[in-house]
Amino acid sequence: MNIDHIEAFLYVVHFNSFHKAAEALFLSQPTVTARIKTLENELDSVLFERQGRGIILTEKGKAFIPFADQIIRTYQQGKKQLKKGSCREEITIGANIITSQYFIPYALPLWKKENPDLRFKFISAPNDALVDKLLQKQVDIAFMKDVTHSGLQNHKVLDNSIRLVVYPGHHYQFQKDLSAQQLATEPLVFFECGAFDWNQVHKIFEVSHVEPRIEFQVDHLEVAKSLILSRSCIGFLPYLCIKKELEQGTLVEVDVSHLIKIKQHIHLTHLKYGVEAPLLWNEILSSVQKFEKLLLH
């Protein structure tokens, strides 16, 4: 009996669809159908029946679920045990660009310290590429923006909300209830690189019928940040990018929550099935808590 056939069965059970299961497994639908058919032949039992355009699980199919689940779990546990006996266990971690640059260098040493026998492999890639790598099982876990995919499980882990920041001594530093009209008079840097929806920022000015004074439009976070640090402009930037500077006091956040709230998070993402809890789960949560508390001290 092939493990891949049993895995295909559990995916079809969950999605109640051969097509969705194939998508989640990154396989063609005929391949999934063939795997189920082979499994049915081996079990000498029909597991699914057609019902109109859909499928239903037979009674024998329902009865097989706990056994299939146990087989997959036992197989995974066996793989882990063999790895421990022959070589160091390895985890492959993926992260989008902003997390790779600002969080991973902080967290990796902590994870390694807690797991000295674990070998780490790290991949930095755009969000769309990380989805493909997760589905193809090229990475075990990924830090990325929220994605909607039936085969993936997301957990919020890092605040990456958009903040308005100015340089110390700027006349907006202690100003409350800043208006869109006031904002529009200041030179701004706009960072556009898929990090968040800039239309939301534009709306601040659109609803007030004013034109923002965009002096710089860049596609690199560090360039945008450097322009603000050089006192050439002010701007809206993701929190992870500016966290260190806020801690050091070289940049100052201005509260504009009365004008706009752009809440976004980095999510820890992994395959929804075949994973009880991501490896390093406790270490990840601990490192996130330590990372986010740094600003408070």
Side-chain angles (χ1 to χ4, degrees), residues 38 74 97 151 159 177 187 232 234 239:
T38 300
T74 302
I97 307 304
D159 177 19
D177 299 323
S232 300
I234 64 175
Y239 177 60

Side-chain angles (χ1 to χ4, degrees), residues 71-120:
I71 290 170
I72 293 295
R73 291 178 187 274
T74 302
Y75 173 70
Q76 291 174 341
Q77 290 168 359
K79 282 179 65 178
K80 288 183 179 180
Q81 188 62 40
L82 289 175
K83 281 185 177 181
K84 289 178 182 178
S86 60
C87 61
R88 288 187 297 171
E89 192 172 5
E90 180 178 275
I91 182 171
T92 302
I93 300 167
N96 61 9
I97 307 304
I98 189 168
T99 316
S100 298
Q101 189 166 359
Y102 300 107
F103 174 68
I104 294 299
Y106 169 84
L108 267 179
L110 296 179
W111 301 338
K112 181 62 179 178
K113 184 178 180 180
E114 294 297 321
N115 299 270
D117 295 327
L118 186 62
R119 183 167 54 196
F120 290 84

Side-chain angles (χ1 to χ4, degrees), residues 114-227:
E114 294 297 321
N115 299 270
D117 295 327
L118 186 62
R119 183 167 54 196
F120 290 84
K121 183 177 179 181
F122 177 72
I123 297 173
S124 180
N127 290 290
D128 291 344
L130 289 173
V131 170
D132 290 343
K133 291 182 183 297
L134 281 165
L135 295 173
Q136 295 179 65
K137 301 181 181 179
Q138 293 176 0
V139 299
D140 298 302
I141 57 175
F143 292 86
M144 56 194 295
K145 71 177 184 180
D146 189 19
V147 294
T148 301
H149 191 288
S150 51
L152 299 177
Q153 181 72 47
N154 302 313
H155 310 270
K156 285 183 182 179
V157 287
L158 286 166
D159 177 19
N160 197 32
S161 301
I162 305 307
R163 318 289 180 94
L164 174 65
V165 288
V166 302
Y167 48 84
H170 189 279
H171 53 281
Y172 286 170
Q173 180 173 351
F174 302 107
Q175 186 161 339
K176 296 182 179 179
D177 299 323
L178 198 62
S179 70
Q181 287 80 4
Q182 289 173 306
L183 265 180
T185 65
E186 286 296 307
L188 288 167
V189 57
F190 264 29
F191 165 74
E192 284 194 276
C193 195
F196 61 94
D197 185 1
W198 271 105
N199 288 327
Q200 295 183 60
V201 177
H202 281 287
K203 286 291 183 184
I204 297 176
F205 306 102
E206 286 180 9
V207 297
S208 298
H209 307 290
V210 291
E211 189 71 23
R213 186 181 161 191
I214 303 172
E215 298 288 350
F216 308 98
Q217 192 162 330
V218 302
D219 66 353
H220 196 289
L221 280 171
E222 286 300 308
V223 173
K225 185 167 66 177
S226 294
L227 285 167

